[in-house]
Structure formats: structure tokens, C-alpha cells
């Protein structure tokens, strides 16, 4: 079973920063749609940021200007730098390749997913 490996996350106070990294040990990421998602209890899964196949970047409006997604082709890894975090950013975060727009994260029937990693932002 293919799976991505996510690292990072953790706990931070509001205004702080955290970063996530997502690595594919089994297949190259180049040319694929790469994305980070998050889901908190009682809420649907949100795509947070995406690198499209043409290299274009997309951000959820609530994180635009605070989060930055990037792809390190040489390391076969993509990153999410999260700055100016607020308690509303608290969620379980996932990374995915070709994950689409699920209501619930993860959705292994579409794309390849990582396990979740908790991000907690305290007031």
C-alpha cells in the first residue's frame, strides 16, 4: 500500500509557527498535484494548500498570506510552512497526492495519503 510520510506539527501558542513536511518513499512527486488538508472535530475536511501539476499554488482563503507550500524535488518532499498561527488552525493535518476534494480526511480511495499529524494552537 502506497503511503506518504508526514512529519512536523505539534503545539504552539497563537502567533507562532510550525512546519510540515511530506515525503514519498515509493514514487516521485514531480508532475503530480500535491496538497495539504486539515480536519477538526465536527468539521469537514478542508484542502489547505495545493501545488498544481503546472506548478501553480493555491491556498485556502483563511490561510493565504500566512501559510506557504513548497516542493523540494531533489528530496522528493513538499513542505507547508505555517506562520501567525491562530487557534482556528488547530486540526489534524494530512498530505496527499491527487487527493481531490474529500469531505472527510483521509480518503484513500482517491490519491495517496499520509497519516494525520496534530497541530494545536493555544490562545
Amino acid at each position: 500500500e502506497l503511503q506518504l510520510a508526514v512529519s512536523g506539527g505539534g503545539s504552539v501558542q497563537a502567533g507562532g509557527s510550525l512546519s510540515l513536511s511530506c515525503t514519498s518513499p515509493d514514487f516521485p512527486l514531480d508532475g503530480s498535484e500535491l496538497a495539504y488538508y486539515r480536519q477538526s472535530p465536527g468539521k469537514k475536511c478542508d484542502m489547505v494548500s495545493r501545488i498544481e501539476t503546472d506548478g501553480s499554488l493555491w491556498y485556502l482563503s483563511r490561510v493565504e498570506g500566512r501559510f506557504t507550500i513548497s516542493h523540494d524535488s531533489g528530496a522528493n518532499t513538499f513542505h507547508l510552512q505555517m506562520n501567525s498561527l491562530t487557534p482556528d488552525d488547530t486540526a489534524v493535518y494530512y498530505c496527499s497526492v491527487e487527493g481531490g476534494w474529500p469531505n472527510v480526511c483521509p480518503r484513500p480511495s482517491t490519491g495517496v495519503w499520509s497519516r494525520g499529524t496534530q497541530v494545536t494552537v493555544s490562545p
Side-chain angles (χ1 to χ4, degrees):
E1 176 184 340
L2 298 178
Q3 195 169 57
L4 302 175
V6 67
S7 60
S11 299
V12 68
Q13 289 189 318
S17 298
L18 289 170
S19 63
L20 303 177
S21 294
C22 183
T23 299
S24 169
D26 298 317
F27 60 94
L29 296 174
D30 288 355
S32 296
E33 179 183 283
L34 313 174
Y36 282 93
Y37 300 75
R38 69 186 183 189
Q39 187 164 23
S40 51
K43 296 186 179 180
K44 72 175 185 66
C45 178
D46 278 331
M47 182 184 289
V48 175
S49 184
R50 178 176 79 243
I51 301 174
E52 299 180 1
T53 55
D54 64 358
S56 302
L57 306 181
W58 176 91
Y59 295 94
L60 184 67
S61 61
R62 296 194 296 276
V63 308
E64 195 157 16
R66 301 188 295 121
F67 290 14
T68 302
I69 193 169
S70 61
H71 177 208
D72 182 345
S73 182
N76 209 36
T77 299
F78 62 109
H79 307 280
L80 186 69
Q81 177 65 39
M82 303 181 289
N83 298 330
S84 301
L85 286 162
T86 75
D88 287 342
D89 296 315
T90 295
V92 178
Y93 284 68
Y94 303 83
C95 60
S96 178
V97 174
E98 307 289 348
W101 297 89
N103 287 320
V104 177
C105 304
R107 188 176 67 180
S109 60
T110 303
V112 181
W113 289 78
S114 71
R115 297 185 179 185
T117 186
Q118 179 70 44
V119 169
T120 302
V121 185
S122 57

